[in-house]
Amino acid sequence: MKNVLSLDKKLEIAALSMFAILLGFSIYLYFNLPETIATHFNAVGTADAYGPKSTVFILPGIYLFLQVLMSTISQSADSFNVPVQLTAENKERQLQLGQRFILVLRIVVGFIFLSIEFAAYGLGDKTDDDLTIWLLPIVLLLLTFPIIGYIFLARRVR
């Protein structure tokens, strides 16, 4: 049981670290971007709305809200929707897997938000407004792998 707690503690630290990295990158961008920046991109990745550079702090704010929300949800594990029938024998393990899944999602969402900021603004010296093509496939993969992994593990521990 000690290894399980150790892994969860490491995942919690990683999730909180993602917030710190995202916030740090946003601060870096704030001091290195022009006063007006692209704030929205159309379906082909071209900037179609502009605003003040302070908008780089929107994603860290949303991520902090999501961190608190997902952390709160994981504390009320009785409301989890699990892919198998809960029994007295598997309930504790299934809820533990659900809590770990939410921890992993917190990290993944942070990485996605960091990728969005990097794709949109680079390191502050990006000259063209085209959003890089790799962002959507990365987002889809990052969300798909934890979901598939969780379902696989949950069904294996019936």
Side-chain angles (χ1 to χ4, degrees):
M1 193 68 149
K2 186 176 182 184
N3 288 340
V4 171
L5 295 176
S6 174
L7 176 61
D8 289 347
K9 189 70 93 173
K10 289 175 185 177
L11 289 172
E12 182 71 36
I13 291 168
L16 295 174
S17 297
M18 283 305 301
F19 173 71
I21 293 167
L22 181 61
L23 182 61
F25 187 59
S26 296
I27 291 168
Y28 169 83
L29 289 173
Y30 182 80
F31 288 108
N32 289 286
L33 288 172
E35 291 301 316
T36 302
I37 60 170
T39 57
H40 189 269
F41 298 87
N42 63 20
V44 293
T46 304
D48 61 4
Y50 296 87
K53 68 180 181 178
S54 60
T55 57
V56 298
F57 294 109
I58 291 174
L59 283 180
I62 293 170
Y63 183 56
L64 180 60
F65 171 76
L66 290 174
Q67 283 270 16
V68 171
L69 181 66
M70 287 191 273
S71 182
T72 302
I73 289 170
S74 73
Q75 299 307 314
S76 60
D78 290 334
S79 63
F80 283 177
N81 187 7
V82 295
V84 296
Q85 182 70 33
L86 286 181
T87 64
E89 296 81 30
N90 72 2
K91 183 177 180 177
E92 184 178 336
R93 181 69 177 134
Q94 289 293 334
L95 297 179
Q96 190 179 56
L97 281 172
Q99 288 174 326
R100 188 165 299 146
F101 173 66
I102 289 176
L103 272 171
V104 170
L105 278 184
R106 287 171 55 196
I107 297 165
V108 166
V109 168
F111 189 79
I112 289 170
F113 281 16
L114 186 61
S115 298
I116 290 170
E117 283 212 345
F118 188 80
Y121 308 115
L123 294 174
D125 58 0
K126 189 172 179 176
T127 55
D128 75 306
D129 290 332
D130 290 337
L131 194 58
T132 53
I133 192 95
W134 52 264
L135 186 59
L136 183 59
I138 285 179
V139 167
L140 292 175
L141 286 174
L142 284 173
L143 290 173
T144 302
F145 285 136
I147 292 169
I148 291 172
Y150 167 70
I151 291 171
F152 173 78
L153 289 173
R155 288 182 181 264
R156 196 176 87 184
V157 183
R158 289 179 183 224

